[in-house]
Amino acid sequence: MQFDSLQGFLAMGGYALYVWLSFGVSLLALLWVVVDSASTHKKLLRNAREEQARQARIAAARKAQALQSESQQTGS
Amino acid sequence: MWKWLHPYAKPERAYQLCVTLQPYFLWPGILCLVAGSIWGLAFAPQDYQQGDSFRIIYIHVPSAILSMSTYVAMAVAALVGIVWQWRTAFMAMIAMAPIGAVVTFIALFTGAAWGKPMWGTWWVWDARLTSELILLFLYLGVIALYGAFEDKQQAGKAAGVMALVGVVNVPIIHYSVEWWNTLHQGATISKFDKPSIAPEMLWPLLIALLGLALFIAAVTVMRMKNEIIRREYHRPWVKDLAARALGDDHAV
């Protein structure tokens, strides 16, 4: 350990502002990338699920419509 | 080699590979970053000229080295994408661009915060600093160009060409301290000679470098997964994946 006390460690020999600013901003920047990547992942999966459900609904509605018009044709 | 490599051009296989690799990159990366930072901040000896301000080196140098390595990796992915028409290669390229930009930003920012107490200024337009700033703009340019195209294969090609052209900047950054008279000091670590730094200062630096490299790989793999899903939106395997990951209630 290069420092005698916690105060000494935090003071960084008078360069506290520059050292802690560097480490702090770097930590925030790296954290931001990971959080952004993970939240985008969740969002994309949710969107994919919604889109596929929508497609399934459209397909089902088309099928129902086709059946209906078919039965109308045979009925008349 | 080709036979072994080729299946990974298929998005689903590439996705599986990313899932497998992610924990091996992420956790050791974080561990090494934390260990290297603590060692560098608290246990490495003081610099005889710069005192404790030199401790910024433990993020500045790894981020500066890796901002260039990441750029080269991105350009290699772009080359593979353009030459062999691999869709997944372009995805890898665009997955690397944001983390590369962030690492470049960190290198510039910590450099400024180190320059202020040592040089008396946050910024000078000298060769090293300016070429590193151009590197940041190249990353941002690749991201912006990729985003500007609706068709992502076109986007990959356009951004890929830009990434390839930008490679010329990497040796300029590296040799800028030799070719021009700069305020920035010469290389201490990345040279073909014994590093001119005491071993008890060097070890934490190497650990931090390894940690950041693994961290960049982890983020690349995370973002690669996102790119694959984005492009494979309507495929059944993505649906299954979403169902499993989100704990689905209205799945089939």
Side-chain angles (χ1 to χ4, degrees), chain B residues 30-247:
Chain B
I30 289 174
L31 191 77
C32 286
L33 271 179
V34 170
S37 300
I38 293 175
W39 190 350
L41 278 170
F43 296 96
Q46 245 182 26
D47 186 77
Y48 81 105
Q49 277 184 327
Q50 303 196 4
D52 287 316
S53 79
F54 103 99
R55 297 182 193 283
I56 295 173
I57 201 176
Y58 294 108
I59 21 176
H60 179 70
V61 167
S63 59
I65 292 176
L66 289 169
S67 68
M68 291 186 275
S69 321
T70 306
Y71 194 90
V72 173
M74 185 178 82
V76 168
L79 184 71
V80 170
I82 288 169
V83 173
W84 286 290
Q85 304 284 318
W86 277 22
R87 296 197 309 143
T88 38
F90 287 136
M91 294 181 201
M93 175 194 78
I94 203 61
M96 276 185 262
I99 180 68
V102 165
V103 168
T104 310
F105 164 76
I106 290 175
L108 286 166
F109 186 89
T110 54
W114 197 0
K116 183 63 188 165
M118 288 302 115
W119 299 340
T121 175
W122 296 95
W123 184 262
V124 279
W125 291 101
D126 91 342
R128 175 54 77 78
L129 280 67
T130 308
S131 53
E132 182 77 8
L133 185 66
I134 290 171
L135 188 73
L136 178 63
F137 292 154
L138 282 170
Y139 275 122
L140 297 179
V142 167
I143 296 169
L145 198 55
Y146 189 85
F149 285 82
E150 197 65 45
D151 173 13
K152 287 307 170 197
Q153 194 62 19
Q154 286 287 326
K157 271 186 211 161
V161 169
M162 179 167 184
L164 281 176
V165 171
V167 167
V168 74
N169 191 37
V170 172
I172 294 180
I173 297 174
H174 185 81
Y175 291 108
S176 57
V177 286
E178 292 174 24
W179 292 344
W180 292 285
N181 255 323
T182 59
L183 199 49
H184 196 284
Q185 67 169 82
T188 17
I189 323 279
S190 52
K191 55 182 190 182
F192 299 106
D193 203 351
K194 235 177 105 200
S196 41
I197 176 172
E200 53 271 34
M201 287 177 174
L202 180 63
W203 275 111
L205 188 58
L206 293 180
I207 290 172
L209 181 66
L210 176 69
L212 190 59
L214 288 170
F215 186 88
I216 292 170
V219 173
T220 301
V221 156
M222 282 176 90
R223 299 193 82 95
M224 177 87 186
K225 277 169 31 188
N226 291 351
E227 285 309 312
I228 294 171
I229 294 175
R230 203 169 268 151
R231 299 275 285 272
E232 299 275 293
Y233 225 58
H234 41 267
R235 294 287 169 83
W237 72 269
V238 174
K239 191 182 175 184
D240 295 342
L241 185 79
R244 260 179 287 131
L246 299 167

